[in-house]
């Protein structure tokens, strides 16, 4: 039998595709014999190459700054690792409400794993405390209390390519004797729970038999040290708790109960408008809250607080419970890190306007643990003049100044603030302070005149407040920078480099103040919003409800918080000592 074979596209095919081998197959069948030939070659140029490993991005902390960063960063671009002693995020503005049962603790916390499970890239979380940052070797040393490693001590190390430090801050005691041992703080959920138990315990102790009137008064005297937003809001919450709920359960103690708010300055809520400060002080006095201003606490014992005043001298006040809320201090790990990088003489970790730690190219810090060291105009005045003087004539014309004006204002925000404060319409009006005619583009200005015009600009350099609002905005900004890092390295979008060439990769961080609230009790809240808009009363309280509900990080916590508010309206606050 004769067979005839022919070749067509079905019999011989060459496949060319990147990373795939190409085959040529030739088959002939004739006279009962079979002849076959096959050739297989590879294309080295099109071989599959493994993608470069992702850079390791380590995030320390799950507070406002850390969580805001993690929610917005593209985790598919990095190998993200999170280290924090808490496996949840806390909505800290509602902590005073937790102290008195207005809101339950679990209603204001969201597990960090719930937040990160929505991300596209893999993210690992370790519930541990970072106790040292080894910047020289680019690693962090951590310790876990919930488990142990092979050595049995729960310690481990993590390497990093980028490190984001968002560890927050601790309560500042100003080294006042007795404060850590006898005072409560209000920075964590556990603090709020301890305060809640302590308040109820004070009322229960005051109702024990065979207790003197003086001892009952001491147990029911609640002292809050610090007249800032936290101290004021807790004082208001405590007053409402006793007035609306505990006074009905402990009727015999109604006349013995007392709240004292101690402030070292002349007024409480000094960061607010004077109208709000005055209203708050007047309302507290009407409610029976003893506001003591110009008093400095010098020591705290188990039964009395010692404080001094310029007019009355040293005074000892017996108390049942004390809450310390006087500001924040730097954590020991941050102090140690600052010494490593040459910032040992500072009180807080310093970053540049891009939230990068000064002296470190791959370490970023945000939130309460760091502050932005805004570059001064007068420090760079010669470099600014040189950048603007493109023709190297030694003088600046109006046109040359206008060409770099946007970059100067973007790089040095104090320039815009100074113009606003002095009610100057533009940069030309500022230059007129030097005596020149800046309105004419041909007018020339030498460096001495330039220095004279900008001499007062740095007076507008302001430190950002240590608030949740600032930390959240910093986290969002840094996440955008990380998401666009590769693009901006090729196409920088920041201002001109005053002390170098080219442009900065990113635009510097700019804080946008969205307003602030001060709940004052009795369903009244003071609101200070942008544009010098002041509102005090029940309408502001409902605005406070809506804003704080909308700012929750999940629908779960949003529903729980709103339901807690509704429960309190219907059933009152829970006084169980648990």
């Amino acid at each position: 039998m004769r067979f005839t074979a022919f070749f067509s596209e079905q019999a011989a095919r060459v496949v060319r595709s990147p990373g795939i081998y190409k085959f040529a197959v030739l088959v002939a069948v004739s006279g009962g014999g079979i002849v076959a030939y096959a050739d297989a070659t590879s294309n080295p140029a099109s071989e599959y190459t493994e993608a470069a490993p992702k850079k390791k991005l380590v995030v320390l902390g799950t507070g406002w700054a850390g969580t805001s960063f993690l929610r917005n960063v593209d985790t598919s671009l990095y190998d993200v690792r999170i280290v924090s002693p808490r496996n949840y995020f806390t909505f800290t503005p509602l902590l005073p409400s937790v102290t008195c049962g207005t809101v339950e603790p679990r209603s204001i916390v969201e597990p960090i794993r719930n937040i990160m499970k929505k991300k596209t890239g893999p993210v690992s979380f370790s519930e541990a405390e970072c106790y040292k940052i080894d910047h020289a070797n680019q690693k962090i040393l951590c310790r876990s209390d919930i488990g142990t490693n092979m050595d049995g001590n729960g310690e481990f190390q993590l390497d990093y390519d980028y490190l984001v430090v968002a560890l927050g801050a601790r309560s500042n005691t100003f080294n006042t004797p007795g404060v850590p041992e006898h005072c409560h703080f209000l920075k964590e959920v556990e603090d709020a729970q301890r305060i809640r138990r302590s308040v109820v315990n004070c009322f229960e102790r005051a109702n024990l038999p065979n207790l003197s009137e003086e001892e009952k008064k001491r147990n029911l005297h609640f002292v809050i040290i610090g007249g800032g937003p936290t101290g004021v809001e807790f004082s208001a919450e405590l007053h409402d708790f006793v007035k609306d709920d505990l006074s009905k359960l402990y009727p015999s103690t109604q006349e013995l109960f007392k709240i004292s708010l101690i402030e070292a300055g002349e007024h409480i809520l000094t960061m607010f408008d004077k109208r709000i400060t005055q209203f708050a002080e007047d309302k507290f006095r009407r409610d029976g809250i003893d506001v003591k201003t110009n008093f400095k606490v010098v020591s705290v014992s188990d039964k009395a607080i010692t404080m001094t005043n310029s007019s009355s001298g040293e005074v000892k006040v017996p108390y049942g419970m004390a809450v310390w809320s006087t500001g924040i201090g730097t954590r020991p790990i941050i102090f140690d890190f600052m010494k490593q990088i040459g910032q040992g003489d500072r009180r807080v970790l310093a970053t540049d306007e891009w939230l990068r730690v000064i002296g470190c190219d791959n370490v970023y810090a945000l939130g309460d643990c760091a502050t932005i060291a805004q570059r001064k105009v007068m420090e760079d005045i010669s470099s600014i003049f040189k950048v603007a003087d493109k023709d190297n004539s030694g003088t600046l014309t109006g046109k040359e100044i206008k060409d770099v004006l946007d970059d100067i204002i973007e790089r040095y925000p104090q320039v815009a603030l100074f113009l606003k404060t002095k009610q100057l319409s533009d940069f030309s009006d500022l230059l007129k302070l030097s005596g020149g005619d800046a309105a004419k583009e041909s007018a020339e200005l030498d460096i001495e005149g330039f220095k004279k015009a900008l001499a007062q600009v740095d007076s507008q350099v302001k430190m950002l407040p240590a608030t949740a609002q600032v930390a959240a905005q910093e986290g969002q900004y840094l996440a955008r920078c990380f998401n666009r890092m590769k693009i901006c390295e090729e196409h920088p979008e920041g201002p001109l480099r005053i002390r170098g060439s080219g442009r900065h990769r990113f635009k510097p961080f700019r804080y946008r103040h969205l307003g602030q609230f001060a709940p004052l009790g009795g369903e009244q809240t003071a609101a200070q919003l942008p544009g010098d808009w002041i509102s005090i009363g029940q309408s502001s309280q409902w605005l406070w409800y809506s804003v704080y509900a909308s700012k929750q990080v999940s629908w779960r916590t949003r529903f729980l918080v709103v339901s807690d508010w509704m429960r309190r309206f219907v059933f009152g606050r829970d006084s169980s000592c648990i």
Side-chain angles (χ1 to χ4, degrees):
M1 182 180 295
R2 293 184 62 187
F3 296 92
T4 303
F6 63 92
F7 298 99
S8 64
E9 291 181 359
Q10 288 75 23
R13 179 178 302 166
V14 177
V15 180
R16 294 182 179 91
S17 178
I20 305 296
Y21 289 100
K22 60 181 182 179
F23 282 86
V25 180
L26 186 62
V27 179
V29 182
S30 178
I34 299 176
V35 178
Y37 170 74
D39 180 32
T41 60
S42 63
N43 187 355
S46 61
E47 287 287 352
Y48 174 76
T49 56
E50 186 177 353
K54 297 177 182 178
K55 291 193 174 182
K56 299 174 183 177
L57 171 59
V58 176
V59 181
L60 300 180
T62 53
W64 275 97
T67 302
S68 177
F69 174 79
L70 291 168
R71 292 179 68 194
N72 291 277
V73 71
D74 186 354
T75 55
S76 65
L77 301 176
Y78 303 93
D79 179 10
V80 181
R81 304 178 182 185
I82 310 167
V83 178
S84 174
R86 301 187 317 232
N87 70 344
Y88 55 86
F89 162 78
T90 305
F91 191 85
T92 52
L94 285 179
L95 281 178
S97 298
V98 175
T99 61
C100 299
T102 305
V103 174
E104 290 301 315
R106 291 191 179 276
S107 300
I108 65 167
V109 300
E110 182 70 14
I112 199 67
R113 295 183 186 274
N114 281 0
I115 297 174
M116 300 314 299
K117 72 180 181 181
K118 304 173 185 177
K119 309 298 288 187
T120 56
V123 179
S124 68
F125 173 79
S126 300
E127 185 176 344
E129 179 184 5
C130 176
Y131 64 90
K132 185 177 180 61
I133 300 173
D134 186 356
H135 175 61
N137 297 310
Q138 291 195 179
K139 62 177 61 179
I140 60 170
L141 282 65
C142 308
R143 182 187 299 114
S144 174
D145 293 332
I146 61 173
T148 60
N149 56 16
M150 295 182 65
D151 295 330
N153 56 13
E155 296 187 356
F156 60 93
Q157 300 179 3
L158 287 178
D159 298 327
Y160 66 84
D161 295 307
Y162 296 109
L163 178 64
V164 176
V165 183
L167 292 172
R170 60 180 177 84
S171 297
N172 193 351
T173 65
F174 300 97
N175 297 319
T176 306
V179 171
E181 296 84 2
H182 306 296
C183 291
H184 292 280
F185 301 105
L186 189 51
K187 288 191 67 65
E188 309 287 349
V189 172
E190 294 83 1
D191 296 333
Q193 291 175 306
R194 282 192 288 267
I195 291 174
R196 182 175 176 176
R197 288 192 293 268
S198 182
V199 169
V200 178
N201 283 334
C202 285
F203 275 86
E204 292 294 350
R205 281 198 300 269
N207 274 269
L208 292 175
N210 302 324
L211 212 63
S212 67
E213 191 84 359
E214 182 180 351
E215 192 66 19
K216 289 182 179 181
K217 286 184 177 181
R218 185 187 71 80
N219 276 291
L220 295 178
H221 185 197
F222 300 90
V223 179
I224 297 92
I225 301 100
T230 302
V232 168
E233 186 172 350
F234 172 67
S235 300
E237 280 281 354
L238 181 59
H239 174 268
D240 288 353
F241 185 30
V242 175
K243 177 184 175 183
D244 299 339
D245 302 282
L246 295 183
S247 61
K248 301 172 185 177
L249 302 176
Y250 305 90
S252 61
T253 62
Q254 190 169 358
E255 301 299 325
L256 306 176
F257 166 75
K258 181 181 179 181
I259 298 176
S260 294
L261 179 60
I262 302 173
E263 168 58 37
E266 295 183 1
H267 297 280
I268 62 175
L269 296 177
T270 54
M271 66 293 300
F272 283 79
D273 187 272
K274 292 181 179 179
R275 290 169 286 180
I276 292 178
T277 297
Q278 189 61 50
F279 180 86
E281 291 178 352
D282 293 342
K283 183 181 185 305
F284 275 15
R285 291 189 177 102
R286 290 195 303 269
D287 291 342
I289 298 175
D290 185 15
V291 180
K292 294 181 178 293
T293 56
N294 293 313
F295 276 87
K296 179 183 178 182
V297 175
V298 294
S299 67
V300 180
S301 66
D302 58 339
K303 293 185 178 181
I305 295 175
T306 304
M307 50 189 179
T308 59
N309 178 268
S310 57
S311 58
S312 59
E314 188 172 285
V315 180
K316 281 192 176 183
V317 178
Y319 73 96
M321 187 193 78
V323 175
W324 187 273
S325 177
T326 61
I328 58 175
T330 304
R331 295 185 184 275
I333 179 179
I334 300 297
F335 270 129
D336 178 71
F337 179 55
M338 290 165 61
K339 293 177 181 177
Q340 294 181 45
I341 60 175
Q343 294 191 24
D345 57 340
R346 298 183 61 91
R347 292 186 299 174
V348 65
L349 188 62
T351 71
D352 60 18
E353 296 87 338
W354 293 267
L355 306 184
R356 184 174 53 229
V357 174
I358 295 176
C360 306
D361 291 334
N362 60 344
V363 181
Y364 299 81
L366 54 162
D368 294 351
C369 70
T371 186
I372 297 175
Q374 175 61 50
R375 190 77 183 175
K376 303 290 198 310
V377 169
M378 295 309 294
E379 292 176 353
D380 297 337
I381 192 69
S382 298
S383 299
I384 296 173
F385 189 90
K386 185 177 180 180
V387 170
D389 186 18
K390 295 180 180 179
D391 58 1
N392 296 321
S393 63
T395 58
L396 297 180
T397 64
K399 184 179 184 306
E400 287 177 323
I401 293 173
K402 290 179 181 178
D403 288 342
V404 296
L405 177 58
D406 291 339
D407 290 297
I408 292 175
I409 291 179
E410 187 173 27
R411 181 67 179 82
Y412 305 95
Q414 60 265 40
V415 175
L417 287 173
F418 186 78
L419 292 174
K420 183 179 179 181
T421 303
K422 296 296 182 180
Q423 297 182 343
L424 302 176
S425 60
D426 54 29
F427 201 74
S428 298
D429 292 338
L430 176 61
L431 294 178
K432 287 180 182 178
L433 296 177
S434 66
D437 188 2
K440 297 179 181 180
E441 290 194 352
S442 59
E444 295 185 347
L445 189 71
D446 61 13
I447 189 168
E448 293 303 321
F450 195 58
K451 288 181 179 179
K452 182 179 178 182
L454 299 175
Q456 302 300 320
V457 167
D458 289 329
S459 63
Q460 295 300 314
V461 174
K462 298 184 182 297
M463 303 290 288
L464 294 179
T467 62
Q469 189 176 163
V470 173
Q473 291 187 27
E474 288 179 340
Q476 293 169 359
Y477 164 82
L478 190 59
R480 289 195 300 269
C481 292
F482 270 82
N483 294 343
R484 296 178 54 81
M485 187 170 292
K486 187 175 181 180
I487 297 174
C488 292
E489 283 178 353
E490 299 176 358
H491 306 286
E493 57 186 24
L496 285 171
R497 293 183 182 271
I498 300 301
R499 292 170 292 134
S501 59
R503 289 184 171 273
H504 290 278
R505 288 183 299 176
F506 314 108
K507 294 182 179 181
F509 171 74
R510 292 291 175 262
Y511 168 63
R512 182 187 176 193
H513 186 60
L514 302 177
Q516 53 189 349
F517 293 95
L520 303 175
E523 292 300 309
Q524 295 193 61
T525 291
Q528 182 175 340
L529 302 180
D532 197 30
W533 191 83
I534 304 295
S535 176
I536 304 173
Q538 291 186 346
S539 60
S540 299
Q541 179 71 25
W542 286 103
L543 178 61
W544 179 84
Y545 283 137
S546 62
V547 169
Y548 276 27
S550 65
K551 291 296 182 181
Q552 298 298 315
V553 297
S554 70
W555 280 103
R556 184 189 71 86
T557 56
R558 189 173 293 118
F559 174 80
L560 289 174
V561 166
V562 173
S563 63
D564 284 345
W565 287 334
M566 295 174 63
R567 171 188 52 77
R568 195 266 299 176
F569 274 115
V570 177
F571 300 106
R573 300 171 182 84
D574 182 21
S575 62
S576 301
C577 189
I578 56 175

